[in-house]
Amino acid sequence: MNLKSFLIILSAMLITSAGFAQSNLLNAKTPEDMNKRTEAQIAYDNDTPLSYGYIDQRDVLWAKTVWEIVDLDERMNFPLYYPIDTNNIGPERRSLYDVLLKNIKNGRIANIYTDSYFTEKRKLADIQATLSRVDTTDAGIAQLNAGEELDLQYIDRRDITAADIEEYRVRGYWYIDKRLGELKYRLIGIAPVAPDVNFIDDENSTMVELFWVFFPEAREVLHEAKAFNRLNTSMPISFDHMLNSRRFSGVIYKEDNEYGDREVSEYITENALMQLLESERIKETIRNIEIDIWNY
């Protein structure tokens, strides 16, 4: 391990450790004290996301943009999905979807987008039809037809919750920094994906991208939110650190190409195995680029 890599890892550990000091479990006298910090801890806490640093375009020797599916059924991706039932746990533990939606509602994530190219902004009110469904039951319709005021018990509301999120789609940028001679990854955007809320109870419901978030705009809130660390519960991992360090399992479903960034499923149809092999081929091509620059 070279000195630069060691310093990066050491900095990440120190920054993450500052977040762990927020827990006051061992010194709490009452349950309310468990998540309180002392004045000294607050003064010491300078916990911010690790800065990317400036990369000049002239220093990018090679680059490729890829889109991946992060399937939440895979065990490695469970920290992004759980917890889905928050009745019996503290407010410091939430799923990635809950963190994103909460901060969109309170305005800390100011912008959401319709797609991964971030060309069209949306407001929360614009996507309400995607996030929730409101229906009137047959009894309610009969009540309205009779000229009566609609009773609230006859209104059927269904909201997309963390339990309904089946996958995330992420857009990332692989590039070679020619000053360092290293292959690096920069996460550009992320989108939660769930069944269409209007047909959510159907077995073959269509999957819908609820919204896209430009990742650099959300780093602050994702750094403050912690994911569960199954190896050491005293040291949770921030969602920002988890996603930036690619602690997830993804399958490439699209790359930038001359065909308008067409998806793998558009040129390999009705063959899931061949689509998966094509995804692996793209991944190996990226890995081999770094190896090739050191072959003379």
Side-chain angles (χ1 to χ4, degrees):
M1 180 183 295
N2 57 35
L3 179 61
K4 178 178 178 295
S5 299
F6 174 76
L7 291 175
I8 291 175
I9 294 173
L10 180 61
S11 299
M13 291 177 64
L14 292 174
I15 289 173
T16 311
S17 298
F20 309 146
Q22 295 178 12
S23 176
N24 197 36
L25 179 63
L26 299 179
N27 302 313
K29 299 296 189 298
T30 65
E32 291 76 15
D33 293 337
M34 287 193 298
N35 296 312
K36 288 184 179 179
R37 294 178 296 164
T38 66
E39 292 184 3
Q41 286 174 329
I42 295 173
Y44 180 77
D45 189 5
N46 186 25
D47 193 14
T48 57
L50 187 64
S51 175
Y52 283 144
Y54 179 75
I55 303 294
D56 196 292
Q57 189 61 36
R58 293 174 296 181
D59 295 326
V60 178
L61 180 65
W62 172 92
K64 176 171 283 294
T65 302
V66 296
W67 288 257
E68 295 174 88
I69 293 175
V70 180
D71 189 349
L72 297 181
D73 277 339
E74 294 191 34
R75 182 173 293 275
M76 186 174 182
N77 299 327
F78 280 179
L80 301 175
Y81 180 67
Y82 292 102
I84 56 175
D85 183 0
T86 58
N87 292 327
N88 298 318
I89 61 174
E92 73 281 357
R93 287 187 58 190
R94 290 293 182 267
S95 70
L96 177 58
Y97 176 73
D98 283 337
V99 171
L100 291 173
L101 190 60
K102 174 186 175 182
N103 286 280
I104 290 170
K105 289 180 176 179
N106 65 24
R108 293 194 64 190
I109 298 179
N111 301 311
I112 53 177
Y113 300 85
T114 57
D115 56 36
S116 60
Y117 296 97
F118 310 107
T119 55
E120 187 175 354
K121 292 183 180 180
R122 282 285 185 264
K123 295 182 179 179
L124 184 60
D126 299 330
I127 63 170
Q128 281 299 332
T130 306
L131 301 179
S132 62
R133 178 196 69 203
V134 180
D135 287 333
T136 304
T137 64
D138 293 339
I141 293 174
Q143 194 175 38
L144 290 173
N145 291 337
E148 301 174 6
E149 184 177 353
L150 180 63
D151 196 318
L152 293 179
Q153 66 176 323
Y154 299 134
I155 298 178
D156 182 20
R157 181 183 180 91
R158 179 67 162 89
D159 295 319
I160 294 290
T161 66
D164 299 313
I165 306 301
E166 297 193 6
E167 62 188 44
Y168 284 92
R169 293 180 187 170
V170 296
R171 175 185 173 185
Y173 187 73
W174 289 97
Y175 67 98
I176 289 180
D177 188 331
K178 68 181 180 182
R179 294 178 304 167
L180 303 175
E182 291 182 356
L183 178 67
K184 294 187 175 183
Y185 178 78
R186 182 72 58 85
L187 203 153
I188 305 299
I190 186 168
V193 180
D196 188 334
V197 70
N198 297 302
F199 309 98
I200 197 168
D201 298 321
D202 294 351
E203 186 175 346
N204 297 318
S205 178
T206 305
M207 302 297 290
V208 176
E209 296 174 354
L210 302 181
F211 52 82
W212 276 88
V213 173
F214 187 60
F215 186 77
E217 290 184 329
R219 288 194 67 203
E220 189 72 37
V221 297
L222 293 179
H223 180 74
E224 295 172 4
K226 308 300 180 184
F228 184 77
N229 183 355
R230 65 170 63 95
L231 299 178
N232 187 352
T233 56
S234 72
M235 300 184 68
I237 308 166
S238 74
F239 284 116
D240 175 68
H241 180 76
M242 175 177 286
L243 293 168
N244 269 314
S245 58
R246 289 190 57 84
R247 292 193 180 188
F248 59 83
S249 174
V251 176
I252 296 173
Y253 71 94
K254 184 168 70 168
E255 64 173 331
D256 53 354
N257 52 56
E258 65 270 31
Y259 304 104
D261 298 348
R262 67 178 180 179
E263 298 185 10
V264 171
S265 60
E266 293 181 40
Y267 60 92
I268 301 179
T269 60
E270 301 180 355
N271 193 326
L273 176 59
M274 294 306 297
Q275 290 173 3
L276 183 60
L277 292 175
E278 174 67 4
S279 173
E280 289 299 314
R281 184 196 66 79
I282 297 171
K283 188 180 299 184
E284 285 300 316
T285 300
I286 295 171
R287 289 173 178 168
N288 290 338
I289 287 291
E290 184 177 32
I291 297 173
D292 290 345
I293 66 174
W294 294 107
N295 289 336
Y296 298 94

